Amino acid sequence: VQLQASGGGLVLPGGSLRLSCAASGFTLDYYAIAWFRQAPGKERERVSCIVSSDGSTYYADSVKGRFTISRDNAKNTVYLQMNSLKAEDTAVYYCAADRMCWRTSSGYDYWGQGTQVTVSS
């Protein structure tokens, strides 16, 4: 069971990035998938989550209206489209999988390796 996060990079403020979380060894259809981020010196926080059963989505207040989570079951991949990026979005982003959209990181059994997002001019 593996999750592979990718798509990070350096972007100017106001720019966009799309992160991908690809699964291998299991089918994402039956799992809730969350994106977390962790900036230096800060706790890991949940950015967004998508439920498996009905596609319901959750967003942190800090990213509502700017980030969109989606899933492509045919590709066994979940995406995080990030628009209007700000310097405070700079962090390592991780995807995680579990049966439910838990708010805290301790609830997730499976994790990707993280991808760095840096928003800077």
Side-chain angles (χ1 to χ4, degrees), residues 15-16 37 59 61-68 81-86 88-89 93:
S16 298
R37 67 185 180 188
Y59 296 95
D61 288 342
S62 58
V63 306
K64 279 181 183 176
R66 301 188 298 122
F67 290 12
T68 303
Q81 178 67 44
M82 306 187 296
N83 298 329
S84 302
L85 283 161
K86 306 175 181 180
E88 50 264 44
D89 295 318
Y93 284 70

Side-chain angles (χ1 to χ4, degrees), residues 17-99:
L17 282 175
R18 188 178 78 160
L19 305 184
S20 299
C21 178
S24 59
F26 70 105
T27 303
L28 283 180
D29 300 31
Y30 305 110
Y31 288 82
I33 305 299
W35 284 97
F36 282 79
R37 67 185 180 188
Q38 188 165 22
K42 294 189 176 182
E43 291 187 357
R44 191 170 295 192
E45 64 167 343
R46 193 185 74 178
V47 173
S48 184
C49 191
I50 185 165
V51 175
S52 62
S53 58
D54 61 4
S56 296
T57 56
Y58 301 90
Y59 296 95
D61 288 342
S62 58
V63 306
K64 279 181 183 176
R66 301 188 298 122
F67 290 12
T68 303
I69 191 170
S70 62
R71 64 196 307 154
D72 185 336
N73 290 338
K75 294 183 178 180
N76 217 25
T77 301
V78 170
Y79 302 99
L80 185 68
Q81 178 67 44
M82 306 187 296
N83 298 329
S84 302
L85 283 161
K86 306 175 181 180
E88 50 264 44
D89 295 318
T90 296
V92 178
Y93 284 70
Y94 301 87
C95 57
D98 204 84
R99 295 296 183 180

